[in-house]
Amino acid sequence: MSIRSEVITQINRVASEQDKRLAPLSDSLALLDSGLDSLCLAIVVARLEDELGIDPFSTAEEAGPPVTLGEFIRLYEDAAK
Amino acid sequence: MRNVLVTGGSRGLGLGIARKLAGAEYRVIALARKESEPLAAALREAETAHPGSLHFFACDLGQIEELGGIVKTLRKKFGPIYGLVNNAGMSFDGTLPLMPTAQIEQLVRVNTISPMVLTKYVVRHMMADGGGRIVNIASITGFTGYSGLSVYSATKAALIGFTRSLAREAGRMGVNVNAVAPGFVDTEMTQSLGEEGRERIVRRSALRRMAEVEDVANAVEFLLSCKSKNITGTVLTVDAGSTA
């Protein structure tokens, strides 16, 4: 499974568990408009760490938080390189 | 067995908490820089009485940038973490005007920043796993004054504020967050009080005695148990009535 599809899978899973209605997912979608709140995003990050073994938010040189879904996915793709 | 991390679990309060929880059907992982002789004895005892209930994990919690990796390693080795007891702390006794700035920074780093960052990495997995318990060991000095402990008191007051707000933040994800505020307990950390200081504390307490390590450990056990499922964002004072 690609990193992109794993991220999308986890977002859908958490939305379903937390009873959140997701906006149509696209790279330009702002995370804050996705239907997931910050706690749900924290769960997505924790699950992705388990699935991919990557946590781009724990590195010392982390940049500002990603604004869009595309930026969020890119963060994981870059960390996997 | 549910996994519980106890920071500073090699001596004093932390060791007492670790021993208590190991005897209460938890798998306790005591985090500390070195394995002390009392911890080694507790590990041997636990292995006989409740095999697998007490483990030691060596790490320096003052190395903030290492904490994410530590949590990852612990989860890989032991599985999901149910409870976190932020007990590790240090104290320098001394008046503020003479306290070296480096000591002030070290106190804030070890007593406040380290537990906050460790909690950050643990709580998000608790939320993802559907719940968990966090107990922060504060101190009565966080809400009552004691000369010579101004910076230490400030770090403990910070933990109380942290406890209340995190309880609000993580509550709907099933995570309870509470603090225990011990009074002066007879441990290595309070040795500097001297006999006279100890007598003064006893004289001023409602019960005319000092709280013991066992009392604090009982409070932590309660806050991790199902008996406290509807208690969150609170501070349980264990001080034999020093602040009554």
Side-chain angles (χ1 to χ4, degrees):
Chain A
M1 194 183 270
S2 72
I3 286 180
R4 170 176 288 273
S5 57
E6 185 62 49
V7 171
I8 302 293
T9 299
Q10 293 304 334
I11 286 176
N12 280 306
R13 182 180 161 197
V14 173
S16 153
E17 285 171 1
Q18 299 296 324
D19 240 355
K20 301 286 183 189
R21 197 168 163 180
L22 279 181
L25 299 180
S26 70
D27 276 10
S28 59
L29 176 69
L31 287 171
L32 286 177
D33 297 332
S34 66
L36 295 183
D37 60 19
S38 57
L39 283 185
C40 292
L41 286 169
I43 294 177
V44 170
V45 170
R47 293 261 170 80
L48 287 171
E49 187 188 337
D50 281 345
E51 295 302 323
L52 303 171
I54 302 169
D55 174 15
F57 297 94
S58 67
T59 52
E61 65 272 21
E62 71 191 53
V67 175
T68 64
L69 177 60
E71 289 169 9
F72 186 78
I73 292 171
R74 224 163 10 255
L75 206 58
Y76 279 87
E77 288 173 337
D78 289 347
K81 283 177 189 166
Chain B
M1 278 199 277
R2 285 169 149 173
N3 292 321
V4 178
L5 308 182
V6 179
T7 69
S10 66
R11 57 199 176 127
L13 270 185
L15 178 58
I17 292 166
R19 293 173 79 130
K20 167 67 66 178
L21 298 178
E25 300 194 348
Y26 293 102
R27 181 192 289 125
V28 178
I29 301 116
L31 310 182
R33 267 179 300 180
K34 289 181 198 153
E35 185 183 300
S36 65
E37 186 37 51
L39 174 61
L43 285 163
R44 285 191 298 270
E45 273 171 40
E47 211 38 51
T48 309
H50 309 278
S53 64
L54 184 56
H55 300 261
F56 168 64
F57 186 86
C59 59
D60 182 355
L61 297 164
Q63 300 293 317
I64 309 289
E65 55 289 348
E66 306 293 327
L67 297 177
I70 289 170
V71 172
K72 197 171 174 179
T73 304
L74 289 169
R75 278 176 50 83
K76 201 175 276 180
K77 191 169 177 190
F78 297 101
I81 297 163
Y82 164 76
L84 168 64
V85 182
N86 281 312
N87 161 79
M90 64 191 319
S91 171
F92 294 119
D93 202 0
T95 54
L96 184 66
L98 299 176
M99 188 176 274
T101 304
Q103 268 189 7
I104 296 174
E105 284 178 349
Q106 196 182 356
L107 273 171
V108 173
R109 187 176 178 82
V110 172
N111 291 5
T112 307
I113 300 174
S114 172
M116 285 176 179
V117 175
L118 183 65
T119 302
K120 164 190 156 172
Y121 288 111
V122 171
V123 75
R124 62 189 190 188
H125 286 289
M126 286 178 172
M127 295 193 304
D129 295 338
R133 300 288 174 94
I134 295 168
V135 180
N136 296 314
I137 303 300
S139 163
I140 58 167
T141 63
F143 43 81
T144 188
Y146 198 89
S147 175
L149 292 179
S150 59
V151 180
Y152 175 80
S153 304
T155 64
K156 294 301 183 179
L159 276 189
I160 292 172
F162 177 64
T163 298
R164 293 196 198 283
S165 288
L166 187 63
R168 288 255 171 213
E169 200 172 300
R172 77 176 169 83
M173 297 298 182
V175 181
N176 295 36
V177 189
N178 291 290
V180 171
F184 292 93
V185 178
D186 223 352
T187 63
E188 242 175 78
M189 202 187 266
T190 52
Q191 287 302 307
S192 61
L193 285 171
E195 201 49 46
E196 198 186 320
R198 262 193 285 275
E199 273 171 22
R200 195 170 55 242
I201 288 160
V202 167
R203 204 170 51 242
R204 288 181 181 175
S205 74
L207 295 172
R208 298 291 188 272
R209 56 180 180 249
M210 283 173 98
E212 294 170 7
V213 170
E214 177 83 4
D215 303 319
V216 179
N218 283 336
V220 173
E221 185 193 356
F222 169 68
L223 290 172
L224 290 174
S225 75
C226 58
K227 291 175 185 166
S228 64
K229 67 179 170 31
N230 286 323
I231 298 176
T232 195
T234 196
V235 183
L236 181 47
T237 301
V238 182
D239 68 348
S242 284
T243 53

